[in-house]
Amino acid sequence: MTAPPCRLLLASIHDVSPRFESEVDRLLDLLAPHVGKRLAMLVVPNHWGDAPIVRGSSFATRLRDWADQGIEMFLHGYFHRDTAGYRTGADRLRARLLTAGEGEFLGLSRAEASNRIAAGRMLIEDVIGRPTAGFVAPAWLYGNDAHEALRQAAIPIAEDHFSVWSPATGRRLATGPVITWASRTRLRLVSSLTASAALGRAPIEVLRIGVHPPDVHHSTLLHSIGKTFATAARRRRLARYSDLLANDRTGIATQTSRISS
Ligand SMILES: [Zn+2]
């Protein structure tokens, strides 16, 4: 009889950019006791159009060092900010309410999404000297055209709020919510603290935990993040996103399934 599949924990730091270098350092220190360097970074090539990652810069060297230490590097949008002109008021409202204007890949055309994916990927891969692990859209929001662009670019791994999948193969790699902390308003802060406490113990096969640079400015969040990682890391095997791909190939994952187009 084979042992039941081990529950996994995937950790990520979002919005890695020269703009947030000191916050990223603090998040790395916070996560280190729980995950070491087994985590993903979601890298923004040019946050808001005025924080570019420049080849040969000291920040580029740091990115490469982190990648050399085994941190998985994901492309995370290009500008992060939502600059699309929405065709309908409903789309505009959805974008603003859900993302505070940060859903860059929600309203892009396929051509523009493809351009930004290609340019961002080339930059990050030049800098880290290896392939990127995948793509995660800012605010986890993808328009239909963005999905199509990811398929065309054969991106190995992508994720949203509820799942991880492979645009390249069309396979779903994991399902279940991602734990994250929203620090923009007090109400969201309280609800994210409650949710993280519950989800940290939930019977989910693959638990994802994502932290953001502004989290470091709230001591209650730092405490909650530390506690959630401690709880989750005790009950789960720490994994990399690429492990999901390997598991899928060998048929180990229990929740993989074909997703339609
Ligand atoms: Zn982000």
Side-chain angles (χ1 to χ4, degrees):
M1 206 175 99
T2 53
C6 196
R7 287 184 179 155
L8 303 181
L9 170 62
L10 299 174
S12 60
I13 297 179
H14 286 234
D15 304 344
V16 173
S17 151
R19 165 162 284 136
F20 300 121
E21 187 170 359
S22 65
E23 285 91 342
V24 169
D25 279 330
R26 288 187 61 188
L27 290 170
L28 277 172
D29 288 345
L30 179 69
L31 268 50
H34 310 293
V35 306
K37 289 291 194 301
R38 190 163 294 198
L39 62 115
M41 284 187 173
L42 277 52
V43 185
V44 185
N46 189 357
H47 192 265
W48 290 11
D50 58 8
I53 294 172
V54 178
R55 291 172 177 84
S57 64
S58 63
F59 188 79
T61 304
R62 297 203 68 197
L63 267 188
R64 181 186 276 255
D65 289 345
W66 286 326
D68 287 347
Q69 291 162 26
I71 294 180
E72 290 183 298
M73 294 292 171
F74 284 75
L75 179 61
H76 184 47
Y78 196 90
F79 299 115
H80 204 278
R81 177 178 266 175
D82 182 3
T83 55
Y86 288 100
R87 281 184 286 272
T88 69
D91 281 352
R92 200 160 41 236
L93 190 66
R94 180 172 165 238
R96 206 177 62 222
L97 286 179
L98 286 176
T99 73
E102 302 286 341
E104 180 188 7
F105 275 70
L106 185 59
L108 290 183
S109 68
R110 188 183 339 173
E112 188 56 29
S114 294
N115 287 343
R116 292 190 196 185
I117 290 166
R121 196 179 186 182
M122 190 186 296
L123 172 72
I124 305 302
E125 293 185 352
D126 273 1
V127 164
I128 63 176
R130 70 193 73 217
T132 43
F135 177 93
V136 179
W140 289 291
L141 286 173
Y142 303 77
N144 288 337
D145 284 345
H147 278 294
E148 191 53 42
L150 291 173
R151 269 195 294 272
Q152 280 181 349
I155 296 295
I157 304 174
E159 68 165 20
D160 61 17
H161 283 101
F162 305 107
S163 67
V164 184
W165 74 96
S166 172
T169 66
R171 306 264 309 168
R172 194 186 302 280
L173 303 173
T175 51
V178 57
I179 295 182
T180 187
W181 288 262
S183 47
R184 282 200 298 274
T185 68
R186 178 159 290 278
L187 179 66
R188 294 189 60 175
L189 191 94
V190 172
S191 68
S192 57
L193 292 175
T194 316
S196 64
L199 282 172
R201 295 175 174 77
I204 299 164
E205 292 295 331
V206 179
L207 184 68
R208 294 172 286 145
I209 308 181
V211 295
H212 291 80
D215 296 348
V216 306
H217 302 303
H218 299 265
S219 56
T220 46
L221 283 199
L222 289 175
H223 180 70
S224 172
I225 290 168
K227 237 171 94 176
T228 303
F229 269 102
T231 304
R234 262 202 311 275
R235 297 157 190 241
R236 294 170 178 277
R237 184 168 70 76
L238 202 52
R240 294 194 161 86
Y241 279 82
S242 54
D243 294 340
L244 300 179
L245 277 180
N247 289 355
D248 188 44
R249 275 194 294 272
T250 54
I252 291 171
T254 54
Q255 294 194 4
T256 56
S257 60
R258 191 86 198 163
I259 51 178
S260 56
S261 65

